[in-house]
Amino acid sequence: MSWSASPAAASPGPYRRASLDDATEKATNAAGWVEENWATWLTSGLQIALIIVIAVILRHVIRRTITKLIERMNRTATAAQGTALGGLLVNAERRRQRSEAIGSVLRSVASFVIMGTAALTVLSVLKINLAPLLASAGVAGVAIGFGARNLVTDFLSGVFMILEDQYGVGDEIDAGVATGTVVEVGLRVTKLRGPNGAIWYIRNGEVKRIGNLSQGWSTATVDVMIATDQDLDRARRIITAVGEEMSKAEPWNEQLWEPVEILGLSEVHLDSVTIGVSAKTMPGKAPGVERELRWRIKKALDTEGITLAPRPTTTLTDETPPDPSAAVAAPSALASPTSPQSLAAAPIPAPNLSK
């Protein structure tokens, strides 16, 4: 008995030959497509790599330059702080925080612009249509802007406030919603320490007006009340001498920027007159100058025998009698037992069950 292979198993059929031919053709086409496009891929890859490298290096250089500039500004302010004139005109902490805030804004803007430009350039190299992407980004930006408009308002207000140097650390300001000394200045929130020591966190977008009491100069005002029968000319000479002596003493010679001025009589009463005294001082030093000036004027007037007048007080001599009708109750229909209201409110008698 002999075995022999069938003709179908001995030679490949037409279907198998077609499959091999198709695979060969696809491999040939793929190899040809890769051979035709490898140069384009290599060029695009090199362009993308070059764009990313340039963007990273440029971002690093710009951020480092901004940081160096801010550090130089802080060193200059610190060096000026040690001089006599620099101590009056420069606040190192204020300059430091303001420069740090400006530097943070500049670094963020530089990073956003550089990396955003690099990303768009990479997408253009990849032949991606940027029109739908930019349109979607614009719509998303508008939606985010509406949703976070308070945050955007606070940020923009903080940026302009810092750039315009409206106030800084150490300034005494009146922000409307709170008054106190500036402790920290941020792009979104400003911290104030109130007179009682409380810390106030004020959003920059909520500030509608700013009264800065620490810029330029301040005015110290003192009212001196003396008795009417005292010699006003002598009192003027004593107060003037006190002002001249105070302007030559330490540390008031630096805090007083102009001689103490006698303004004249601001109030005249039957038993007292008020002499107004004013002095221009360093920013924020008016309260201390006022206290010292009152102290010196009081001691000088006591030494020279000038009598101070007591502050007038208002007393109530005639008391208004109470209204007698206030203790009388309002008339009521229930007060009369024969009124319909009283009869309606009377309890219903119990039925007589004995009958």
Side-chain angles (χ1 to χ4, degrees), residues 25-268:
E25 183 179 1
K26 290 180 179 179
T28 304
N29 293 336
W33 183 76
V34 171
E35 185 179 359
E36 292 177 359
N37 294 279
W38 74 270
T40 305
W41 293 348
L42 181 60
T43 304
S44 300
L46 292 176
Q47 290 179 354
I48 293 174
L50 183 61
I51 291 171
I52 294 175
V53 170
I54 292 176
V56 171
I57 294 176
L58 185 61
R59 175 178 176 273
H60 176 73
V61 170
I62 292 180
R63 289 175 64 91
R64 186 173 179 83
T65 302
I66 294 174
T67 303
K68 291 293 185 182
L69 180 61
I70 297 303
E71 292 177 356
R72 180 174 298 179
M73 292 173 59
N74 293 335
R75 287 197 301 268
T76 304
T78 304
Q81 186 75 12
T83 63
L85 183 60
L88 300 177
L89 301 181
V90 178
N91 187 326
E93 180 63 17
R94 170 178 178 165
R95 288 284 300 273
R96 186 190 67 79
Q97 289 205 11
R98 180 169 178 261
S99 59
E100 289 293 339
I102 294 176
S104 176
V105 174
L106 293 178
R107 285 191 292 266
S108 299
V109 171
S111 299
F112 178 78
V113 172
I114 294 173
M115 301 311 294
T117 304
L120 294 178
T121 307
V122 169
L123 293 178
S124 64
V125 171
L126 296 176
K127 308 299 181 181
I128 297 176
N129 189 8
L130 298 178
L133 181 62
L134 295 178
S136 302
V139 173
V142 172
I144 294 174
F146 276 111
R149 57 184 181 275
N150 291 333
L151 182 61
V152 175
T153 301
D154 297 339
F155 181 81
L156 293 179
S157 299
V159 170
F160 282 107
M161 178 272 298
I162 292 175
L163 293 178
E164 295 173 0
D165 195 18
Q166 298 177 5
Y167 55 84
V169 175
D171 287 353
E172 187 79 17
I173 67 171
D174 180 1
V177 295
T179 302
T181 304
V182 179
V183 177
E184 183 179 344
V185 178
L187 293 176
R188 193 182 68 86
V189 174
T190 297
K191 293 172 59 176
L192 298 182
R193 184 175 294 278
N196 59 350
I199 294 292
W200 295 91
Y201 294 85
I202 304 176
R203 288 170 44 197
N204 296 327
E206 293 182 349
V207 178
K208 304 301 180 183
R209 61 174 179 84
I210 290 292
N212 196 324
L213 307 179
S214 302
Q215 284 186 354
W217 48 269
S218 300
T219 302
T221 304
V222 176
D223 292 332
V224 182
M225 298 179 61
I226 64 175
T228 307
D229 56 353
Q230 301 298 311
D231 188 355
L232 296 181
D233 293 334
R234 185 160 168 256
R236 179 197 290 268
R237 290 193 295 270
I238 293 173
I239 296 174
T240 302
V242 168
E244 293 177 353
E245 180 183 358
M246 183 176 173
S247 62
K248 298 177 182 178
E250 294 283 348
W252 312 109
N253 55 352
E254 295 182 357
Q255 299 183 12
L256 285 171
W257 284 6
E258 288 185 1
V260 177
E261 182 182 2
I262 309 299
L263 302 178
L265 297 181
S266 58
E267 293 182 359
V268 178

